[in-house]
Amino acid sequence: MYYDEFETILGKIVVVCGKNGLEMVHIQSGGSGEKFVLPEGCVRNEEALSDVKKQILEYLDGKRKDFALCLNPQGSSFVLKVLGELRKIPFGQTLSYGEVAENIGMPKAGRAVGTACGKNPLAIVIPCHRVIAAGNKIGGFASGLAVKRKLLQLEGIEIDN
């Protein structure tokens, strides 16, 4: 496994890639209060992750709406199902946690969808920031609400709080 880290308008971003694709995009904004630890044996390789860095920076500069990256997110079958649904949310649009739950055939699982969003290992690239609470409220975000607001504003999305 290898990683790179770089500064952005959101703070430092750490990306981790394994042999099957990108496994982690972590925004070190202090939002969750958890200390980020690289996977064991992970070595820095800026060159191998240059395209990942380029695409994330293009997105944050407003020059990219979609990512063309090989992804390999890790998680339970439920989390992976939710992440698959999140990938379908277009740039500049949102769904509520309840709507995502309905879309995956589990209409009463809105809270579980929120928990799965919080476990998204590929922030920004798998757009969990596009999932909001009912009534056009912001909801939560593992990297902090300030980061979620910036990402939504970048996409031209207005939230009530």
Side-chain angles (χ1 to χ4, degrees):
M1 294 185 87
Y2 41 94
Y3 80 97
D4 192 14
E5 57 186 32
F6 49 95
E7 289 296 328
T8 73
I9 61 170
L10 304 175
K12 184 185 290 184
I13 290 182
V14 180
V15 293
V16 177
C17 193
K19 64 181 178 180
N20 294 318
L22 187 63
E23 293 187 9
M24 191 178 307
V25 175
H26 180 77
I27 305 165
Q28 292 187 312
S29 66
S32 66
E34 295 179 24
K35 182 169 171 53
F36 176 74
V37 178
L38 285 169
E40 191 172 320
C42 205
V43 296
R44 188 161 190 179
N45 188 332
E46 294 174 46
E47 184 178 331
L49 288 160
S50 64
D51 190 47
V52 173
K53 176 181 177 179
K54 177 181 178 253
Q55 288 190 41
I56 290 172
L57 291 174
E58 286 174 347
Y59 168 81
L60 294 173
D61 279 343
K63 297 175 184 170
R64 172 177 290 276
K65 293 183 179 183
D66 297 301
F67 294 93
L69 299 168
C70 180
L71 306 181
N72 188 31
Q74 305 297 305
S76 69
S77 59
F78 179 76
V79 168
L80 294 176
K81 188 174 193 174
V82 170
L83 297 180
E85 191 62 30
L86 301 184
R87 292 181 72 186
K88 298 176 187 176
I89 305 171
F91 181 94
Q93 295 182 31
T94 61
L95 289 177
S96 71
Y97 298 104
E99 289 171 323
V100 173
E102 286 180 27
N103 289 351
I104 62 170
M106 302 177 75
K108 297 185 183 214
R111 286 183 187 263
V113 166
T115 300
C117 287
K119 294 179 179 181
N120 178 7
L122 292 165
I124 302 172
V125 177
I126 296 180
C128 58
H129 60 276
R130 295 179 189 154
V131 182
I132 60 173
N136 202 39
K137 304 289 184 199
I138 195 161
F141 195 64
S143 298
L145 294 182
V147 171
K148 185 170 184 172
R149 280 187 188 93
K150 284 182 187 178
L151 291 169
L152 293 171
Q153 288 170 351
L154 176 87
E155 296 189 21
I157 299 169
E158 293 186 29
I159 297 298
D160 291 339
N161 63 341

